[in-house]
Amino acid sequence: MISVHNLVKKFGDFTAVDGVSFEVKDGEIFAFLGPNGAGKSTTIKMLTTLLRPTSGTIILNGGDPVANPDAARRSFGIVFQDPSLDDDLTAMENMELHGILYDVPSKLLKERSKELMQFVELWDRKDSLVKEFSGGMKRRLEIARGLLHHPKIIFLDEPTLGLDPQTRNSMWEYLKKLNKEEKTTIFFTTHYMEEAERVAERIAIVDHGKIIATGTSESLKEQTKSESLEDAFLSLTGKMIRDEAATPADQMRMRHRVWRR
Amino acid sequence: MKKIYILWLRQIKKYLRSKSRIVGSLAQPLLFLLALGYGFGSVFQKAGEGNYIEFLAPGVIGMSIIFTAVFSGIEIIWDRQFGFLKEMMVAPISRLNIMIGRTLGGATVATAQGLLVLIISLFFGFHLSSVGAIIPAVGIMFLIALLFTALGTMIASLLDDMQGFQLIINFLVMPAFFLSGALFPLKGLPKALAFVATIDPLSYGIDALRFLLIGEVHYGLVRDVTMLAIFTSVFLLLGSYFFKKVEV
Ligand SMILES: Nc1ncnc2c1ncn2[C@@H]1O[C@H](COP(=O)(O)OP(=O)(O)OP(=O)(O)O)[C@@H](O)[C@H]1O
Ligand SMILES: [Mg+2]
């Protein structure tokens, strides 16, 4: 379903993704783990046509997203690490806009919006502007929106960040159900090791833009002779804290906040 | 088609919801009508040019349109900051259609703003030559709006953040407005200034508006509309060209 070969992304002199290769099978649940700044989001952005790879090849659902972005875009859904809702629209309007952009028939759009918003417990707030939502509510809406069009592949970049355990569990229940019933391929990143261990069929560990290990959580533990996935992760990536350089987007957001005051 | 419509609708909704923006962007035209309109009225009259408010109103309408339009185009930077641009960019819709939907939305908003200023200027003593003239005038207003929304889109595609925004306003929008003949008659200008006016697309827009609203014209309606159409097409092309290259 996803096949990546020698993928590289450079920002100026800095290599964020440095020759990554991996395969994700049809209907598989695959996790990308790695310290801050490892290059997880950058890889996802290349897979999802938001960034052009510096070099390397990607095959997504049988096509090349670089050469044929439109076909690729039809095949996946994504929940971004950073916010991507329109704050000036209501929750429902955000869902509708998404549904229309993805050609969801209007009857199905209504049904599914209701189902998903009930599921993330936002149905009674459906006509509130998103800017009135708490961080966790926004996150839940992002997830509901990402699932709206039942894509073949779903990318989740730290989807559970900032969610309470109840929501996290029920979200994974839903995703697993989707994975079983519709054979949806799931590609996600997370910093919660127990989540990766519980959900992912296979895990790749990335550090400094390179994949340093791939396998099931069992095999990773074996390889490193560790008790838990967390220990395996730490033994593979070291204990040093990464000081991730702020991206221009972050800096911009900061400035904007200052400016708005 | 439906996708373009929903992006258009989004712009309209956002505009209607930001009451402060509507009111705020009426303040400047009001100030111009008041201060310049009444301030220069008698000088203008003595110079044998007739009623200044009549002359000024189409210029101020043009001003409110270009400011709103450029701003609508530049809003892409905000979409990028707040992340919504990503949502549009990963959707199965061509960049061209995103650009079209947004530009039509921005242009509609700017035209509405222009129409609002037209109505306000009636209270300042502006007279329409005929009520029917409003319809073709709205057409011209929409062309101006399209042109400058596309320009704003182009600028936003080239800028990373709002840092350059003030620069653009000072070096592009202000000159486009002040040198367009919005405030003074184009006839009898020094050669250099007259030349600059001929390469300023807003000159043609305002000239056409004057013709339709008060029956005065400098270049002639045919030339106005032709030039405006050419400029608008060029900027739409440039806007979509640069927008295509945007990475999130
Ligand atoms: N647009 C950009 N310009 C320059 N550098 C960038 C850009 N985007 C990302 N980077 C850099 O690339 C590296 C990888 O970033 P990426 O966002 O992929 O990390 P990540 O693995 O998702 O980390 P996290 O766990 O913190 O989300 C970082 O060092 C980051 O600073
Ligand atoms: Mg990330």
Side-chain angles (χ1 to χ4, degrees), chain A residues 113-127:
Chain A
S113 302
K114 185 167 179 192
E115 177 199 320
L116 283 163
M117 285 166 84
Q118 278 173 341
F119 162 69
V120 295
E121 287 172 27
L122 287 175
W123 181 244
D124 50 339
R125 297 295 304 273
K126 67 180 175 10
D127 296 319

Side-chain angles (χ1 to χ4, degrees), chain B residues 108-129:
Chain B
T108 307
V109 165
T111 307
Q113 192 80 29
L115 207 55
L116 216 54
V117 173
L118 172 67
I119 293 164
I120 288 175
S121 60
L122 294 176
F123 295 98
F124 283 82
F126 178 62
H127 297 92
L128 292 170
S129 62

Side-chain angles (χ1 to χ4, degrees), chain A residues 102-152:
Chain A
Y102 284 83
D103 299 298
V104 181
S106 66
K107 190 163 161 278
L108 192 62
L109 174 58
K110 284 212 182 72
E111 284 167 18
R112 264 200 208 142
S113 302
K114 185 167 179 192
E115 177 199 320
L116 283 163
M117 285 166 84
Q118 278 173 341
F119 162 69
V120 295
E121 287 172 27
L122 287 175
W123 181 244
D124 50 339
R125 297 295 304 273
K126 67 180 175 10
D127 296 319
S128 306
L129 293 179
V130 171
K131 64 173 148 212
E132 295 160 8
F133 281 7
S134 75
M137 288 161 80
K138 287 186 191 172
R139 201 70 202 139
R140 269 148 45 196
L141 182 61
E142 298 244 12
I143 292 168
R145 189 185 64 179
L147 299 174
L148 183 63
H149 61 289
H150 285 199
K152 275 215 169 87

Side-chain angles (χ1 to χ4, degrees), chain B residues 145-230:
Chain B
L146 268 181
L147 195 164
F148 285 95
T149 311
L151 176 71
T153 307
M154 183 178 121
I155 295 165
S157 310
L158 293 170
L159 291 179
D160 277 341
D161 53 43
M162 293 310 281
Q163 298 279 306
F165 183 66
Q166 208 50 44
L167 206 72
I168 299 300
I169 294 293
N170 288 336
F171 284 91
L172 219 73
V173 182
M174 287 293 192
F177 165 59
F178 280 111
L179 301 174
S180 67
L183 303 176
F184 48 77
L186 290 171
K187 66 168 190 280
L189 282 184
K191 273 227 166 52
L193 216 51
F195 170 73
V196 173
T198 61
I199 55 167
D200 180 351
L202 189 62
S203 308
Y204 301 102
I206 288 178
D207 197 45
L209 282 181
R210 268 197 195 118
F211 176 75
L212 293 167
L213 297 175
I214 61 170
E216 270 178 37
V217 76
H218 179 72
Y219 297 121
L221 188 65
V222 177
R223 180 160 172 216
D224 288 339
V225 174
T226 316
M227 291 304 283
L228 209 52
I230 293 173

Side-chain angles (χ1 to χ4, degrees), chain A residues 11 14 16 34-43 81 158 191 244-245 247-248:
Chain A
F11 295 109
F14 178 74
N36 290 146
K40 304 178 296 293
S41 299
T42 307
T43 306
Q81 180 177 351
E158 296 185 34
H191 290 299
E244 191 194 1
T247 62

Side-chain angles (χ1 to χ4, degrees), chain A residues 190-260:
Chain A
T190 183
H191 290 299
Y192 300 109
M193 294 299 141
E194 92 288 347
E195 192 169 273
E197 193 159 14
R198 199 154 39 86
V199 187
E201 288 160 5
R202 247 160 13 99
I203 295 169
I205 295 187
V206 254
D207 198 8
H208 300 297
K210 289 192 167 80
I211 293 189
I212 50 174
T214 331
T216 61
S217 110
E218 290 309 313
S219 74
L220 290 173
K221 280 188 266 184
E222 244 165 64
Q223 259 180 54
T224 51
K225 305 191 175 53
S226 310
E227 292 289 308
S228 65
L229 186 59
E230 179 149 343
D231 289 339
F233 179 85
L234 289 174
S235 96
L236 284 162
T237 57
K239 294 219 156 91
M240 217 173 61
I241 294 175
R242 313 306 158 97
D243 54 350
E244 191 194 1
T247 62
D250 292 333
Q251 291 166 5
M252 195 159 73
R253 240 169 256 132
M254 282 291 296
R255 273 202 293 268
H256 187 70
R257 245 176 258 141
V258 171
W259 184 82
R260 293 242 291 186

Side-chain angles (χ1 to χ4, degrees), chain B residues 67-93:
Chain B
F67 276 91
T68 314
V70 169
F71 192 81
S72 291
I74 288 199
E75 266 188 320
I76 289 183
I77 295 182
W78 258 272
D79 282 347
R80 174 155 44 192
Q81 270 174 34
F82 291 116
F84 187 75
L85 190 63
K86 291 195 293 268
E87 158 78 356
M88 288 191 278
M89 295 300 226
V90 291
I93 169 174

